[in-house]
Amino acid sequence: MPSIASCNFDTCPVAASPYGYPPSSAAEAIFLIIHVGSLIACLLYSFFLAGTNRWLEFSIPISIACFFESVGYGVRLASSFDPWNVALYATSTAFIIVAPAFVSAAIYFTVPEAINILGVEHSLINITHYPLFIWIDVVGFVLQLVGIIISFSDLSADKGLGEHAHVGSPIIAAGTAIQAISLVLFLFLFSIVLLRAAVANSQFGYTTFHPVHGFVPIAHRFKFFLAMLLISAMCLFARALYQTIVLGDGLGSWTAKNQALFAGLDSLLVGEAVVGLVVAHPVRFLRSGLEKRRGSGNTSMMVEEPRVVSEYYLGGHQLGTGTSQHGNRDRPQRPNRRIGDDLTPLSSRTNFV
């Protein structure tokens, strides 16, 4: 068989290429458009549509992930015309492997604000600890980089993957497995928060009491934001499991060279996670403040609202702890009147308008 550097569709079987298949130009173009569009939308949200809070801690990681994914799928699009080009293969593989870690980081940075709105008492851990999951991902990210460097260190334009790929692939798999563990721990903790908040809302008519604004109903757009956080994290976890299995088998394995598996369990899942988070961008769905809609006539009602629960909270309860200094008391029911139906909880960074 001739050197793969001189191969084309007429002279060599495509199975001999590093991909093991000709990347679908249509699929690569679709995912390239998805990530480029998400990158543009994310930047527009933060730098043109945002108010005082641009949510750069969310936008920057998402933008980096979108850029890496765009590079990866742009290169795969070029590879659809020359799947034997090992440089293109190594570039696309490296960028696509590491990109999702930045999506996870955006979630970890954002979730404390969401829990602040739902009520910190529902969280099993202090909400300031959620960003610490990023450090677990950093360990996985470093292992991925080390594994990628080793795997492609003896890449040959004539023969493709070298022997070092057998050493580097398990290291990449270990890094991806660490990220999967981080995601499953986060999903467990966040699911507990959502479950407890749902039970409280069903039983008492509210998820928590904000000492300044009283009882504030959870808006539909905030529920959508929570759903996108949860779904995106689940997609990233499923993708991490897939990549762990693939890389554990090796870059030259059957699973690594199955385009349908890659499209369904990597491209589609990461695309769903990115699009969901960008559509539910915090700039739009988690703005700076527990805001009331302009023109609302319920301002005075909001001032009266804390009186309903004053005995409960002044009687020894501490907000967010659920404990009392004077014995157990029933949690106060939210008044029957629909106070604040035009109020939307959007962040703990309070700015009333």
Side-chain angles (χ1 to χ4, degrees):
M1 178 179 161
S3 165
I4 63 172
S6 59
C7 280
N8 57 48
F9 290 104
D10 295 325
T11 60
C12 300
V14 73
S17 69
Y19 291 101
Y21 56 84
S24 168
S25 57
E28 314 312 335
I30 289 172
F31 289 114
L32 174 61
I33 292 170
I34 287 173
H35 290 291
V36 170
S38 297
L39 173 60
I40 294 172
C42 193
L43 295 176
L44 285 175
Y45 270 128
S46 287
F47 294 101
F48 294 95
L49 302 179
T52 55
N53 183 10
R54 297 180 183 274
W55 277 98
L56 295 181
E57 64 269 40
F58 176 89
S59 292
I60 290 176
I62 289 290
S63 297
I64 293 173
C66 290
F67 174 74
F68 281 10
E69 293 282 353
S70 298
V71 171
Y73 286 104
V75 173
R76 281 179 66 89
L77 181 60
S79 295
S80 65
F81 303 100
D82 183 12
W84 294 275
N85 189 312
V86 294
L88 295 181
Y89 166 77
T91 302
S92 65
T93 301
F95 276 96
I96 289 174
I97 284 175
V98 302
F102 294 93
V103 184
S104 301
I107 293 175
Y108 299 148
F109 274 129
T110 308
V111 77
E113 284 299 312
I115 297 177
N116 239 331
I117 293 170
L118 288 171
V120 296
E121 64 268 31
H122 302 304
S123 179
L124 294 177
I125 64 174
N126 190 302
I127 62 172
T128 60
H129 294 161
Y130 282 94
L132 296 179
F133 281 108
I134 295 171
W135 292 107
I136 302 177
D137 274 12
V138 167
V139 174
F141 184 79
V142 170
L143 285 175
Q144 287 176 336
L145 288 180
V146 171
I148 288 170
I149 292 171
I150 293 174
S151 295
F152 299 145
S153 60
D154 62 344
L155 197 67
S156 168
D158 295 324
K159 297 181 180 180
L161 290 172
E163 291 299 320
H164 290 179
H166 299 295
V167 178
S169 293
I171 298 175
I172 306 174
T176 308
I178 289 174
Q179 292 174 350
I181 293 172
S182 174
L183 283 164
V184 76
L185 289 175
F186 166 77
L187 283 168
F188 170 75
L189 292 171
F190 190 48
S191 296
I192 293 295
V193 172
L194 296 180
L195 179 61
R196 287 181 169 183
V199 170
N201 189 63
S202 175
Q203 185 174 359
F204 304 110
Y206 61 94
T207 62
T208 193
F209 177 78
H210 294 275
V212 177
H213 308 306
F215 300 106
V216 184
I218 300 298
H220 291 299
R221 62 177 176 176
F222 180 62
K223 293 178 182 178
F224 175 75
F225 174 78
L226 294 175
M228 288 300 100
L229 281 181
L230 185 62
I231 292 172
S232 296
M234 292 172 66
C235 287
L236 293 175
F237 172 66
R239 178 266 176 188
L241 284 181
Y242 159 74
Q243 282 289 4
T244 300
I245 294 172
V246 167
L247 294 166
D249 290 341
L251 289 170
S253 66
W254 174 85
T255 51
K257 294 188 174 185
N258 188 306
Q259 184 168 209
L261 286 178
F262 174 78
L265 298 177
D266 191 299
S267 303
L268 188 62
L269 292 178
V270 176
E272 160 63 23
V274 169
V275 171
L277 291 174
V278 171
V279 169
H281 197 291
V283 163
R284 182 182 178 190
F285 288 81
L286 203 63
R287 289 185 218 152
S288 56
L290 284 165
E291 301 175 347
K292 73 181 182 70
R293 294 179 184 172
R294 295 183 183 276
S296 169
N298 282 355
T299 306
S300 61
M301 300 176 74
M302 291 190 64
V303 176
E304 296 174 359
E305 185 74 19
R307 298 176 187 173
V308 179
V309 293
S310 60
E311 181 182 354
Y312 176 77
Y313 286 101
L314 296 178
H317 277 269
Q318 298 176 356
L319 181 65
T321 64
T323 60
S324 172
Q325 299 171 4
H326 306 293
N328 294 328
R329 298 190 182 194
D330 293 333
R331 189 174 184 176
Q333 293 286 347
R334 182 181 170 187
N336 290 331
R337 66 186 188 279
R338 294 185 63 80
I339 292 176
D341 280 351
D342 58 347
L343 305 175
T344 304
L346 296 173
S347 173
S348 63
R349 300 170 185 175
T350 303
N351 285 320
F352 238 141
V353 295

